[in-house]
């Protein structure tokens, strides 16, 4: 690439504390000079990306830039004559997503498949999440990418959202803190992140054209809060706007969202890009401050050029966006001339994913079946997924990994014996089922060649569970010390889960019932393992097995991570970041969620908004009562509460105290390991506002959390949890302000939303912070109130 000496200034900088040999050369861009040299058309190209092969764009440009890192989602638009390179944008949350192999190249470019976002959040360990981010960022940098299109932190509004596996929590504090840690880790490598999808991308059905209708209060307190926390704490290089409308305006066309809230109120200084083909009118997106349209469409280019010519779009707004993209390019490793190796430390990262995955698993039930300890040697392994472990979800959040350790392999690696007979039976069954799926896909591709690629992108349903006769099971039980049954679920982008996916299938139910019956009669125990990306029904069957472990989708080392927990090498310390309802319909949002609707997949956003409830628009009638805020405030029984998770040991909480200094509060509590196994404990701090019910506030809300170090039996640690005055505010729509009501607050030190260990009280001073009166709903909604 030819660099113009005029525009790019090489600055020799000394990093603080470096020796003279650590001098770094920092290239800078003279933005004004670049802007002076660009025609209107150049600017319009620069802000819309390069297009996407087979969908949009100039194939010559696409070809040249796609080859930078094959398989990356996109790049910025190169301005070669000005020395401005295309910088590479690649998915996604569970690791870097690029092609693993390249034509005419014998090298491989596999990336580490780390655990899904939900598992990472379930660790409640922000230091660990930062370590995972650090490892992912190293792969981004060493494979030559510049910006990772992650993390994804939309709120788990409903258990059936197809992308919940990528997301962190139903609670904005957990989501925001987890995302901040992830971003800090990735960006320590001097590569960027793109926090997404801003905002309210809470369903996949008709995702390009659905209108999320939300009260200003719920938007501020629930759907924007996590972004606010993460953006302020970790300064992501980029923000990705969401596909959906919010109260009638596309996110990427909403100046109120992108300029007023994000930049003016939160002080964000980075670059904003659309999701792929998101939004419709290029000129309006530019005006709104959505700097970059990815991957870019001809209509957007035309709209921008025509917009400036007609005066609909001020050229100054376009220049502002160009400048913000230049800021991004300037920071990028590619512009800085970083010589990447294509050799990230995959071995070290395998260890990072193995350990982090084990820490996010949630022990749901344990009647002395776990850990295996010395008594267990032979394991009878049931469930298709035990042999074909699911590392993560499908779509852009998938990773091209080199391998996935199944539970079968994990047990063998851990020195356990598994029934060879069962192994052969399952492997044959699964191979046959996969052949049938492949054949069906090929058939479908022939019938509908246009959608062949898309179909491969979607989750393929797992076959029904293999069942055994009572005699077969009795024989197997005689030979084994314990049975493990894995239930699997696969979900992904484009599709919300169906109700049938939440519930157990008939074959799963029968398998659990029969295995438990036979093994219990033989005096043997049964463990159920959940290899899932989202919540499922448990209340009807959880009494049957002796232990249940939610392993989530634990990345490529999944089987090893699970065995680290089953064996007792690592005590489980994960806790749920979402409520597990008894029935799917118990979640209030299920009244307003697309249930088993046509997903309306629309790759290039060509559809128009219609008027079908929960498809074209969704009224968030539960308002702020999302997840535990609903179940707790309205006394609705749950299967497992938010924040729940067992350990192999037990903990005692003591000496809880609160002190208030002005508006901010500090809570301390001592946690002691009172059992005979080492372990870590997550402490959750909820706050109940004065007069909560009368003020239509939730019974309690999580405001902070902390996790102990690994405590040996008998060992204690005192944790300190801090809450700022602003954290106690709720959004008053009438005043358009964040308001802290003066009065006596309860500070609840808890092991879960339903396991309060200490209740402290303190008086907090009132305060009010003005905000803008923006993003008002356009229709009246029947909002839930206490
Ligand atoms: C997804 C984004 C992703 C982008 C690029 C979109 O379909 O919604 O999360 O980053 O594609 O692959």
């Amino acid at each position: 690439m030819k660099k113009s000496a005029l525009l790019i200034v090489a600055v020799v900088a000394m990093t603080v504390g470096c020796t003279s040999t650590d001098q770094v050369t920092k290239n800078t861009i003279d933005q004004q000079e670049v802007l002076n040299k660009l025609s209107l058309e150049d600017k319009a190209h620069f802000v819309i990306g390069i297009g996407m092969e087979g969908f949009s764009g100039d194939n010559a440009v696409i070809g040249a830039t796609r080859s930078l890192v094959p398989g990356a989602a996109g790049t910025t638009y190169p301005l070669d004559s000005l020395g401005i390179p295309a910088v590479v944008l690649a998915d996604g949350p569970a690791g870097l997503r690029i092609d693993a192999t390249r034509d005419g190249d014998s090298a491989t470019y596999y990336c580490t498949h780390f655990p899904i976002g939900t598992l990472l959040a379930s660790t409640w360990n922000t230091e660990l999440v930062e370590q995972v981010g650090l490892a992912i960022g190293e792969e981004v940098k060493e494979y030559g990418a510049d910006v990772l299109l992650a993390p994804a932190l939309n709120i788990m509004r409903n258990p059936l959202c197809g992308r919940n596996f990528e997301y962190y929590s139903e609670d904005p504090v957990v989501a925001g803190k987890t995302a901040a840690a992830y971003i800090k880790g990735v960006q320590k490598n001097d590569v960027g992140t793109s926090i997404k999808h801003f905002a309210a991308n809470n369903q996949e059905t008709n995702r390009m054209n659905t209108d999320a209708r939300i009260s200003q209060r719920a938007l501020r307190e629930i759907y924007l809060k996590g972004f606010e926390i993460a953006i302020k704490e970790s300064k992501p290089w980029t923000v990705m706007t969401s596909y959906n409308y919010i109260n009638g305006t596309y996110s990427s066309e909403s100046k109120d969202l992108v300029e007023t809230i994000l930049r003016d109120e939160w002080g964000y200084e980075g670059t904003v890009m659309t999701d792929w083909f998101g939004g419709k009118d290029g000129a309006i997106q530019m005006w709104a401050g959505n700097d970059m349209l990815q991957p870019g469409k001809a209509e957007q280019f035309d709209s921008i050029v025509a917009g400036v010519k007609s005066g609909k779009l001020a050229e100054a707004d376009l220049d502002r966006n160009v400048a913000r993209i230049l800021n991004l390019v300037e920071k990028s490793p590619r512009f800085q001339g970083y010589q990447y190796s294509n050799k990230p430390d995959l071995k070290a990262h395998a260890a990072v994913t193995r350990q982090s995955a084990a820490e996010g698993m949630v022990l749901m039930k344990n009647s002395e079946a776990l850990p295996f300890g010395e008594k267990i040697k032979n394991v009878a392994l049931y469930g298709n997924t035990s042999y074909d472990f699911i590392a993560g979800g499908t779509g852009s959040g998938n990773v091209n990994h080199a391998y996935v350790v199944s539970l079968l392999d994990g047990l063998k690696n851990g020195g356990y014996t598994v029934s060879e007979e069962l192994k052969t039976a399952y492997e044959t069954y699964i191979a046959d089922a996969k052949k049938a799926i492949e054949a069906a896909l090929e058939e479908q591709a022939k019938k509908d060649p246009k959608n062949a690629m898309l179909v491969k992108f979607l989750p393929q349903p797992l076959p029904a569970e293999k069942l055994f006769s009572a005699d077969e099971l009795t024989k197997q039980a005689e030979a084994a010390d314990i049975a493990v049954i894995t239930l699997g679920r696969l979900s992904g982008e484009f599709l919300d889960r169906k109700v049938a996916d939440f519930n157990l299938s008939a074959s799963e139910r029968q398998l659990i019932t029969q295995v438990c019956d036979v093994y219990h009669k033989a005096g043997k125990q049964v463990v159920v393992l959940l290899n899932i990306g989202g919540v499922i029904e448990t209340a009807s069957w959880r009494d049957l097995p002796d232990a249940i472990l939610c392993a989530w989708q634990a990345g490529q080392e999944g089987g090893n991570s699970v065995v680290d927990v089953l064996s007792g090498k690592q005590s489980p310390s994960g806790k749920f970041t979402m409520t597990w309802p008894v029935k799917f319909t118990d979640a209030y949002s299920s009244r307003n969620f697309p249930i088993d609707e046509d997903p309306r997949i629309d790759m290039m956003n060509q559809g128009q908004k219609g008027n079908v409830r929960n498809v074209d628009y969704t009224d968030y009638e539960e308002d702020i009562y999302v997840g535990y805020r609903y179940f707790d405030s309205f006394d609705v029984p749950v299967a497992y509460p938010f924040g729940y998770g067992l350990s192999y040991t037990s903990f005692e909480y003591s000496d809880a105290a609160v002190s208030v200094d002005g508006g901010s509060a500090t809570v301390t509590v001592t946690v002691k390991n009172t059992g005979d196994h080492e372990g870590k404990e997550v402490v959750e701090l909820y706050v109940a506002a004065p007069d909560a019910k009368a003020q239509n506030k939730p019974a309690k809300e999580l405001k902070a959390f902390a996790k102990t170090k690994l405590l040996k039996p008998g060992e204690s640690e005192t944790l300190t949890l801090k809450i700022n005055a602003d954290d106690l505010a709720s959004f008053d729509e009438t005043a358009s302000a964040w308001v802290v009501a003066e009065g006596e607050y309860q500070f609840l030190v808890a092991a879960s939303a339903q396991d309060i260990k200490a209740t402290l009280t303190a008086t907090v001073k009132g305060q009010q912070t003005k905000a803008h009166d923006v993003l008002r709903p356009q229709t009246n909604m029947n909002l839930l109130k206490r």
Side-chain angles (χ1 to χ4, degrees):
M1 179 161 306
K2 191 165 59 106
K3 282 190 181 170
S4 153
L6 177 74
L7 305 182
I8 298 161
V9 188
V11 179
V12 178
M14 285 274 279
T15 319
V16 182
C18 288
T19 63
S20 55
T21 50
D22 291 330
Q23 278 189 344
V24 285
T25 303
K26 193 169 184 300
N27 295 326
T28 56
I29 297 175
D30 186 332
Q31 294 191 353
Q32 199 47 57
E33 286 283 345
V34 172
L35 279 164
N36 291 345
K37 299 222 159 182
L38 294 181
S39 66
L40 171 59
E41 287 72 16
D42 290 336
K43 292 177 194 171
H45 273 304
F46 190 60
V47 295
I48 72 161
I50 58 159
M52 197 172 191
E53 214 162 1
F55 291 99
S56 70
D58 171 350
N59 280 335
V61 184
I62 294 174
T65 55
R66 276 293 141 84
S67 60
L68 293 173
V69 181
T75 72
T76 60
Y77 194 89
L79 299 170
D80 290 337
S81 61
L82 301 180
I84 309 292
V87 304
V88 175
L89 319 168
D91 286 304
L96 177 67
R97 179 178 163 80
I98 57 172
D99 290 345
T101 54
R102 295 176 187 174
D103 286 345
D105 182 348
S106 59
T108 56
Y109 301 84
Y110 288 110
C111 297
T112 306
H113 200 145
F114 291 87
I116 57 170
T118 306
L119 184 151
L120 288 182
S122 307
T123 65
W124 300 68
N125 182 342
T126 48
E127 276 168 35
L128 176 144
V129 175
E130 190 171 326
Q131 289 307 313
V132 171
L134 193 66
I136 297 177
E138 203 240 342
E139 297 193 16
V140 173
K141 189 161 187 180
E142 292 309 326
Y143 276 136
D146 299 281
V147 178
L148 182 75
L149 303 172
L153 70 148
N154 294 101
I155 290 294
M156 294 174 178
R157 172 176 176 255
N158 188 273
L160 295 191
C161 173
R163 290 184 88 172
N164 275 352
F165 73 95
E166 294 182 62
Y167 302 157
Y168 294 134
S169 178
E170 69 188 19
D171 179 85
V173 172
V174 177
K177 298 270 176 199
T178 308
Y182 181 102
I183 293 166
K184 282 185 203 162
V186 173
Q187 292 192 172
K188 271 192 180 161
N189 294 281
D190 293 326
V191 295
T193 54
S194 192
I195 191 170
K196 67 187 187 185
H197 309 89
F198 187 58
N201 189 164
N202 307 108
Q203 68 186 57
E204 286 299 283
T205 303
N206 194 25
R207 64 181 188 158
M208 292 281 192
N209 275 304
T210 191
D211 186 10
R213 298 178 177 180
I214 314 174
S215 76
Q216 287 176 304
R217 180 180 176 200
L219 259 171
R220 296 283 193 160
E221 292 184 16
I222 308 289
Y223 297 99
L224 296 178
K225 195 68 189 175
F227 284 96
E228 182 180 355
I229 293 170
I231 286 167
K232 286 181 175 169
E233 277 188 22
S234 65
K235 300 189 177 12
W237 286 16
T238 77
V239 170
M240 186 191 290
T241 46
S242 58
Y243 283 134
N244 49 285
Y245 297 82
I246 299 176
N247 294 331
T249 307
Y250 267 130
S251 300
S252 59
E253 298 179 5
S254 171
K255 192 170 191 160
D256 290 343
L257 182 70
V258 176
E259 287 289 326
T260 309
I261 293 185
L262 176 66
R263 296 183 190 279
D264 299 347
E265 289 190 12
W266 300 351
Y268 181 65
E269 290 178 346
T271 313
V272 176
M273 70 172 92
T274 59
D275 197 350
W276 266 230
F277 298 115
K280 288 255 189 322
D281 188 327
I284 295 183
Q285 290 171 301
M286 286 298 110
W287 161 83
N290 194 118
D291 308 311
M292 180 160 65
L293 313 182
Q294 280 292 342
K297 290 204 274 190
E299 300 93 280
Q300 290 168 325
F301 176 87
D302 295 344
S303 157
I304 293 167
V305 172
V308 172
K309 287 186 176 158
S310 71
K312 172 178 162 189
L313 172 65
E315 191 154 1
D317 284 350
L318 184 60
D319 289 355
R320 170 200 64 190
N321 299 356
V322 169
R324 287 186 193 140
I325 303 173
L326 289 172
N327 286 339
L328 172 68
V329 173
E330 190 182 61
K331 285 194 280 197
S332 69
R334 183 156 270 95
F335 182 74
Q336 293 302 332
Y338 182 70
Q339 299 298 311
Y340 54 94
S341 64
N342 275 328
K343 289 195 173 28
D345 194 346
L346 297 178
K347 205 159 159 229
H349 299 169
V352 173
T353 184
R354 176 173 180 165
Q355 200 259 327
S356 60
E359 183 149 344
M361 293 182 185
V362 182
L363 184 63
M364 301 164 70
K365 169 180 180 172
N366 191 16
S367 306
E368 292 176 20
L370 295 175
F372 285 169
E374 290 305 308
K375 60 188 191 293
I376 303 294
K377 304 250 181 301
N378 297 308
V379 182
L381 211 46
Y382 297 93
N384 300 329
T385 327
S386 292
Y387 299 85
D388 194 13
F389 231 45
I390 303 168
T394 60
S396 59
N398 193 8
V399 177
N400 293 316
H401 47 245
Y403 63 86
V404 178
V405 178
S406 67
L407 181 54
L408 173 81
D409 294 335
L411 284 166
K412 285 184 174 170
N413 295 343
Y416 297 95
T417 309
V418 289
S419 158
E420 286 298 318
E421 205 184 307
L422 272 173
K423 172 177 175 287
T424 314
Y426 268 105
E427 284 180 348
T428 315
Y429 181 76
I430 293 167
D432 289 347
K434 283 198 167 167
K435 266 189 231 148
I437 292 175
E438 281 299 316
L441 282 183
E442 267 174 39
E443 197 52 34
Q444 212 172 324
K446 270 188 224 149
K447 273 195 219 144
D448 185 8
K450 238 181 67 215
N451 282 321
M453 195 182 93
L454 176 67
V455 170
K456 289 209 169 138
F457 220 50
L458 302 179
Q460 298 308 323
L462 298 163
E465 285 299 344
K466 181 172 171 50
L467 297 170
F468 300 88
S469 69
D471 282 354
E472 285 172 316
L473 285 174
T474 309
K475 256 180 62 198
Q476 291 155 6
E478 271 166 22
D481 299 322
I482 199 162
V484 176
I485 308 172
T486 307
L487 302 184
R489 288 286 181 281
L490 186 59
S491 61
E493 200 177 338
F494 301 107
L495 299 176
D496 287 314
R497 295 168 59 207
K498 307 241 184 256
V499 175
D501 197 70
F502 178 82
N503 293 325
L504 256 49
S505 68
S507 65
E508 287 172 329
R509 203 173 285 280
Q510 201 175 333
L511 181 70
I512 295 181
T513 312
Q514 288 180 335
V515 170
C516 289
D517 188 39
V518 172
Y519 275 76
H520 287 161
K521 277 191 189 133
K524 312 267 164 87
Q525 292 184 303
V526 180
V527 177
V528 170
L529 190 76
L530 304 179
N531 182 198
I532 58 179
V535 172
I536 63 167
E537 188 277 323
T538 52
S540 70
W541 58 268
R542 64 177 169 184
D543 288 344
L544 299 175
D546 305 281
I548 310 174
L549 178 70
C550 179
W552 296 120
Q553 292 164 348
Q556 69 184 40
E557 286 282 326
N560 285 336
S561 308
V562 169
V563 174
D564 288 344
V565 174
L566 296 180
S567 66
K569 199 169 143 195
Q570 193 161 335
S571 184
S573 63
K575 291 190 177 183
F576 286 136
T577 58
M578 79 298 287
T579 310
W580 287 50
V582 174
K583 297 190 300 301
F584 157 71
T585 45
D586 288 347
Y588 198 89
S589 59
S590 297
R591 291 163 173 78
N592 294 286
F593 190 82
I595 296 175
D596 298 355
E597 294 276 2
D598 171 2
R600 302 216 193 161
I601 298 172
D602 178 12
M603 287 290 278
M604 276 189 69
N605 192 6
Q606 281 156 334
Q608 291 300 324
K609 197 155 89 64
N611 210 22
V612 180
R613 187 170 161 262
N614 298 337
V615 174
D616 293 301
Y617 68 94
T618 301
D619 287 340
Y620 286 34
E621 287 181 333
E622 71 283 359
D623 203 28
I624 55 156
Y625 296 105
V626 178
Y628 70 89
R629 284 171 168 77
Y630 168 67
F631 290 100
D632 282 3
S633 306
F634 294 86
D635 289 326
V636 179
V638 301
Y640 296 96
F642 175 84
Y644 172 90
L646 303 173
S647 165
Y648 292 154
T649 190
S650 52
F651 300 98
E652 185 186 271
Y653 290 50
S654 65
D655 304 326
V658 62
S659 66
V660 171
D661 175 13
S664 57
T666 304
V667 169
T668 50
V669 60
T670 300
V671 179
K672 181 176 181 189
N673 181 347
T674 51
D676 51 14
H677 204 288
E678 58 183 21
K680 297 182 186 177
E681 171 72 336
V682 174
V683 173
E684 301 155 36
L685 178 59
Y686 298 87
V687 173
D691 222 4
K693 191 165 182 184
Q695 299 300 320
N696 191 27
K697 291 184 185 175
K700 60 178 177 296
E701 294 184 279
L702 185 85
K703 294 295 175 190
F705 59 88
K707 192 166 192 174
T708 66
K709 62 182 187 197
L710 188 63
L711 295 175
K712 296 204 172 58
E715 203 181 350
S716 304
E717 184 181 354
T718 299
L719 296 174
T720 303
L721 298 99
K722 285 198 183 319
I723 302 179
N724 295 323
D726 293 349
D727 303 338
L728 294 175
S730 49
F731 194 78
D732 181 330
E733 293 183 353
T734 322
S736 281
W738 286 100
V739 178
V740 179
E742 181 139 346
E744 190 163 274
Y745 284 70
Q746 287 190 327
F747 295 83
L748 311 165
V749 182
S752 87
Q754 294 189 2
D755 186 5
I756 311 298
K757 302 290 190 186
T759 301
L760 311 163
T761 53
T763 302
V764 174
K765 277 208 194 110
Q767 67 166 48
Q768 178 158 337
T769 313
K770 267 311 242 188
H772 294 86
D773 178 11
V774 289
L775 303 179
R776 255 180 201 278
Q778 306 297 304
T779 50
N780 285 330
M781 283 184 285
N782 187 17
L783 298 181
L784 179 65
K785 288 195 176 52
R786 283 189 81 185

